[in-house]
Amino acid sequence: MSDLDKHIEQLRACRPIPEAQVREVCYKARELLIEEGNVVGVDAPVTICGDIHGQFHDLMELFRVGGDVPDTNYLFMGDFVDRGFYSLESFLLLLCLKVRYPDRITLIRGNHESRQITTVYGFYDECLRKYGSANVWRYCCEVFDYLALGALVSGAATDLEPTDSSFAAEPSQTQNSMSEDQAEWEIEVLNSTGQVMNRYPRVRTQNEFSQLSNPPSSPGQSPSRSGPPGSGASSSAKGSSGNSGGAVLCVHGGLSPLIDSIDKIRLLDRKQEVPHEGAMCDLLWSDPDEIDGWGLSPRGAGFLFGADIVKCFNHKNDLSLICRAHQLVMEGFKEMFDSSIVTVWSAPNYCYRCGNVAAILELGEDGSNAGYSARGNGDANRSQGVLQPKDQERALGPGRRYRVFEAAPQDSRGMPAKKPVADYFL
Amino acid sequence: MATPNGRLSPPTNTAAAGPNARTQTFTTPNNAWRILTRKQPILKADPIEALSARIGIPIPEMIFGDNFVAIEHVPSGWKLSFNAEDALDRVSKTEEGMLQVAVADAWKKDREGMGAGAERVVRPFDWSYSTDYKGTTTSPDGKAAGEEGWQLTDQSRDPIRTDLLSRPDPILFFDSVDLYEDELADNGIGLLSVKVRVMPERLLLLARFFLRLDGVVVRLRDTRVYVEHGGRKVVRQYTAREAGYEALRERLRGMRENVAEVLRDANALAPLLPVLEDRTEVFEVP
């Protein structure tokens, strides 16, 4: 067994590895990461994960539900550290797996992978407590500076091979209006034991989609609207290329008003501490919101972006979906803006007290269906009346399988359940 | 549960749903007061949207909308309760009192002239979720009573007996319930939580809003509710404290404290923050 495999084994048992070994792993990781572009290319199939926040036992649960590395190809969208009790073990395990299986796991940077944030939110203190010095924290921060800012998933299947398993309960939706054999499934939600919680067929246009189906995680679909002036909503220069499955951009926070193409992300100088402003900051910090265009957060820093921004960006960059993390959602995932963007959250019972479930998103490989042609074209024209030209051109979204899971059982944590301790407060 | 002498029946557990969910009720030994607490997971997307529509501002990241703590006068049915919705409804829904994060100035300067409407603040409101909530009063007929019936008093006439509360009397019932928390996009913390403890002859409730906006301000807004089980008086004290962040940090450094640790600990901070407002009221239950 190699040293690296021993480290992985030790970390899987939630035991930190010695400082000298951390240093070595961090050095190797940096050598790997420096070769990656700001936007890493990833081929489907891939399992996309959101925030972890040092919840080590829940990360183990994630691997149990999603499969182990290297069997499953993983993409983690940052925020490995802070808040939870085991940031160190969680991050080092992911890093060791990265060094051991570089092509089977992709790590991109979250806003918590930063010197400033980790000194306030726990990771720094944890390193100090577990090693007696800040050296390990320093090694990790140097790795943070080399993490990619995004990933571009290509080759994802537009249809979903339905899971061959039973429904967890009588489905509440009317998704079975389409007979099983002719159904093209777009979304499937599975519980942690692989039972189907819900399944949604692909509907012919995005407009119809938002009206016909109502995934539990995306209530209140915003009405679809045309792009903002000058967004190229009426342009058909791209021909029909948009109707094949587009790529999926993964980024921790969201978009930036300084970035209108993926190539512009590629041009950034990322090897630094996360700055307080600028495009790199925005990619790690911004949030989608039900607004038109861009907005400034009332906090005075940080951007909000609306549906028109996402749709325009996706169209221009031949994307079918933006996948991001960064915001807690009770259901583990939340699709917004006619499924043009999704938030994936992978820290169940966040901070050990929110009671939320977590999710991971599986995108299948477009193999057997290489010659698949979207049948949406012809049908879509029939309902021309309500359609924006750009909707017709929208790249067909990938088939999405969400696996939803709860926090690891208490007894796997090796610590007692957290009960409020009676105290003589005044 | 800390019941050192264990003479009384333990709190009853009902309606558990999920590992974090539970409802507890406890009645004082003289059957005059009942304490109810409920803990549930954070709200799901639909209830969050509905709540946001009702109160007109975005909802904190962690919203425990089903949680509450209530003190009920058993003979009359009068009730004082604490819940997230009523607390959030008292948060400023305009620019008034709106804070800015520490990097806001640098941030704005950098973005000036960028166009795209990006200088526009969407939906200004007090995103620190600072509230002066002192609880929701419900009259015996079950109607919301507002502030009616609360009489202004002071600590010399109607004291919260800290001396008696400091005695190591057995705690018959204790709970700590979060109502909401926001990480302020990693610029600090805003947290509203309620603690309650019941001793054989008296009870104390503390509803505390704690705000630490890094580099800007530290704020505490405490509402204490004190009841002597044998009496009819409910004493309520609201204390608002606040200090500038940098000045406070300097002071902690001077005291050779672990600055980062103290800044996370509202109990340690309280005595260091100047009092801005201190108000005691009393309610005599029917």
Side-chain angles (χ1 to χ4, degrees):
Chain A
M1 191 186 258
S2 74
D3 283 352
L4 197 51
D5 284 328
K6 280 180 200 152
H7 298 340
I8 291 172
E9 195 181 22
Q10 186 167 341
L11 286 164
R12 274 183 195 279
C14 200
R15 283 181 291 142
I17 55 176
E19 183 177 319
Q21 273 72 59
V22 176
R23 185 181 178 172
E24 198 183 313
V25 168
C26 287
Y27 181 78
K28 283 183 184 156
R30 266 167 51 202
E31 282 192 321
L32 269 173
L33 294 170
I34 200 169
E35 297 299 325
E36 292 186 342
N38 291 348
V39 182
V40 188
V42 173
D43 290 326
V46 63
T47 297
I48 301 168
C49 312
D51 295 26
I52 300 298
H53 281 302
Q55 297 185 195
F56 178 85
H57 302 90
D58 301 320
L59 176 61
M60 292 298 102
E61 184 70 3
L62 184 156
F63 284 137
R64 191 185 68 76
V65 169
D68 243 321
V69 186
D71 306 336
T72 301
N73 181 27
Y74 278 103
L75 196 171
F76 285 88
M77 297 189 287
D79 278 14
F80 315 111
V81 299
D82 284 343
R83 310 249 182 232
F85 299 139
Y86 305 98
S87 291
L88 182 82
E89 293 83 352
S90 305
F91 179 63
L92 288 180
L93 175 62
L94 291 171
L95 207 61
C96 284
L97 291 170
K98 174 71 187 172
V99 174
R100 178 72 175 81
Y101 308 104
D103 299 327
R104 298 300 286 171
I105 179 166
T106 304
L107 307 176
I108 65 177
R109 193 171 192 175
N111 62 304
H112 277 263
E113 277 69 61
S114 128
R115 286 167 188 78
Q116 199 213 333
I117 296 291
T118 50
T119 49
V120 181
Y121 293 97
F123 183 48
Y124 174 84
D125 292 338
E126 187 184 324
C127 291
L128 216 56
R129 201 167 60 243
K130 290 178 178 170
Y131 290 94
S133 85
N135 290 342
V136 163
W137 173 76
R138 223 167 277 128
Y139 302 146
C140 291
C141 287
E142 283 164 15
V143 175
F144 294 163
D145 289 343
Y146 287 85
L147 290 169
L149 305 177
L152 193 62
V153 178
S154 49
T158 50
D159 67 335
L160 192 67
E161 196 61 43
T163 304
D164 184 24
S165 81
S166 59
F167 270 86
E170 200 55 34
S172 55
Q173 305 287 327
T174 54
Q175 69 272 66
N176 290 324
S177 56
M178 194 186 294
S179 76
E180 290 282 334
D181 50 339
Q182 56 176 165
E184 292 165 29
W185 299 110
E186 181 177 9
I187 305 174
E188 191 173 75
V189 185
L190 305 183
N191 67 16
S192 62
T193 57
Q195 286 179 305
V196 181
M197 295 165 75
N198 246 322
R199 194 179 273 163
Y200 304 91
R202 185 179 300 280
V203 284
R204 280 157 294 186
T205 72
Q206 287 305 317
N207 272 39
E208 287 176 10
F209 175 74
S210 66
Q211 288 157 14
L212 287 182
S213 101
N214 179 26
S217 58
S218 44
Q221 298 273 1
S222 60
S224 92
R225 54 172 96 81
S226 60
S231 71
S234 62
S235 158
S236 57
K238 294 236 174 219
S240 59
S241 69
N243 242 338
S244 61
V248 177
L249 178 68
C250 299
V251 61
H252 180 73
L255 298 174
S256 165
L258 298 165
I259 299 281
D260 62 354
S261 74
I262 291 172
D263 281 337
K264 286 200 178 152
I265 305 178
R266 295 193 167 102
L267 293 176
L268 298 173
D269 173 21
R270 78 166 191 268
K271 290 162 190 105
Q272 53 169 322
E273 169 76 341
V274 181
H276 283 307
E277 67 282 307
M280 179 169 158
C281 165
D282 299 342
L283 294 168
L284 271 55
W285 282 90
S286 63
D287 294 320
D289 202 341
E290 304 286 343
I291 58 170
D292 287 323
W294 288 101
L296 177 57
S297 153
R299 295 180 188 99
F303 278 119
L304 304 173
F305 53 94
D308 49 345
I309 301 293
V310 175
K311 289 179 181 177
C312 183
F313 186 90
N314 286 4
H315 176 75
K316 185 175 174 190
N317 291 281
D318 262 329
L319 298 176
S320 58
L321 179 68
I322 291 173
C323 195
R324 44 92 62 174
H326 195 46
Q327 281 179 300
L328 170 62
V329 273
M330 177 70 192
E331 294 86 348
F333 70 99
K334 181 180 182 179
E335 297 193 349
M336 291 173 77
F337 309 156
D338 301 321
S339 299
S340 58
I341 187 166
V342 60
T343 300
V344 177
W345 181 265
S346 304
N349 197 22
Y350 180 46
C351 292
Y352 309 111
R353 62 201 153 89
C354 281
N356 61 292
V357 297
I360 51 179
L361 167 58
E362 292 179 1
L363 301 180
E365 184 184 10
D366 188 15
S368 56
N369 256 326
Y372 173 80
S373 68
R375 61 168 198 170
N377 258 344
D379 292 341
N381 289 333
R382 279 197 271 133
S383 45
Q384 186 68 39
V386 290
L387 277 178
Q388 316 298 337
K390 95 183 243 243
D391 282 329
Q392 286 176 49
E393 275 185 46
R394 241 196 77 172
L396 213 51
R400 308 184 285 290
R401 175 174 294 121
Y402 296 99
R403 290 188 189 268
V404 171
F405 61 101
E406 294 181 358
Q410 200 64 47
D411 56 15
S412 73
R413 295 173 188 277
M415 57 185 204
K418 219 178 152 191
K419 262 189 186 167
V421 181
D423 73 285
Y424 286 86
F425 69 87
L426 285 174
Chain B
M1 207 56 51
T3 49
N5 64 359
R7 277 178 297 127
L8 297 138
S9 56
T12 52
N13 256 308
T14 50
N20 296 16
R22 60 184 176 78
T23 305
Q24 295 192 93
T25 60
F26 180 83
T27 307
T28 56
N30 66 349
N31 290 319
W33 302 90
R34 184 181 296 134
I35 293 84
L36 303 98
T37 65
R38 184 163 75 188
K39 283 182 175 178
Q40 298 276 326
I42 54 168
L43 292 183
K44 297 192 176 200
D46 285 343
I48 286 177
E49 289 204 7
L51 177 58
S52 181
R54 283 200 300 278
I55 64 173
I57 53 171
I59 300 305
E61 192 175 26
M62 301 180 196
I63 173 71
F64 297 92
D66 295 322
N67 286 6
F68 69 80
V69 177
I71 298 173
E72 193 182 322
H73 182 239
V74 178
S76 69
W78 179 91
K79 196 160 75 174
L80 178 64
S81 60
F82 292 80
N83 66 76
E85 176 160 357
D86 290 340
L88 286 172
D89 203 29
R90 298 194 57 82
V91 169
S92 167
K93 297 169 185 178
T94 65
E95 294 95 335
E96 198 189 324
M98 198 166 87
L99 298 163
Q100 297 260 281
V101 298
V103 298
D105 283 344
W107 208 85
K108 259 185 229 138
K109 210 169 165 190
D110 187 69
R111 305 298 169 119
E112 263 165 29
M114 207 164 68
E119 300 93 347
R120 178 181 54 116
V121 171
V122 282
R123 287 190 312 248
F125 74 104
D126 181 5
W127 52 271
S128 76
Y129 296 103
S130 296
T131 183
D132 62 354
Y133 181 55
K134 303 178 192 70
T136 306
T137 310
T138 312
S139 55
D141 57 9
K143 286 186 183 139
E147 293 304 289
E148 208 178 309
W150 287 97
Q151 304 287 329
L152 194 61
T153 179
D154 59 46
Q155 284 293 316
S156 58
R157 267 183 294 172
D158 295 293
I160 290 181
R161 292 291 301 273
T162 311
D163 55 332
L164 299 176
L165 288 167
S166 300
R167 300 194 319 208
D169 291 336
I171 294 177
L172 309 178
F173 177 82
F174 176 89
D175 208 356
S176 173
V177 177
D178 289 345
L179 296 184
Y180 61 77
E181 177 175 347
D182 197 273
E183 299 173 341
L184 311 178
D186 297 316
N187 284 289
I189 183 175
L191 168 68
L192 178 65
S193 59
V194 186
K195 277 185 185 184
V196 61
R197 64 173 164 118
V198 185
M199 284 68 61
E201 289 166 64
R202 56 191 55 80
L203 70 84
L204 178 68
L205 176 149
L206 170 60
R208 167 169 281 173
F209 173 76
F210 172 46
L211 173 71
R212 192 193 73 239
L213 181 55
D214 292 331
V216 181
V217 74
V218 175
R219 182 178 280 171
L220 270 184
R221 292 176 177 178
D222 289 342
T223 299
R224 287 179 174 77
V225 179
Y226 177 72
V227 175
E228 303 260 3
H229 302 335
R232 291 184 165 277
K233 279 183 177 177
V234 180
V235 179
R236 178 169 75 176
Q237 183 184 25
Y238 172 79
T239 313
R241 299 167 180 269
E242 187 165 322
Y245 184 91
E246 288 305 334
L248 186 65
R249 208 159 71 152
E250 279 311 305
R251 208 172 142 201
L252 289 170
R253 280 206 192 99
M255 293 162 67
R256 298 181 180 277
E257 289 283 352
N258 179 337
V259 178
E261 203 175 294
V262 176
L263 283 172
R264 280 194 288 263
D265 182 353
N267 284 327
L269 287 169
L272 302 173
L273 304 177
V275 174
L276 300 190
E277 188 184 343
D278 186 22
R279 177 187 170 89
T280 303
E281 295 155 302
V282 66
F283 193 101
E284 291 216 28
V285 293

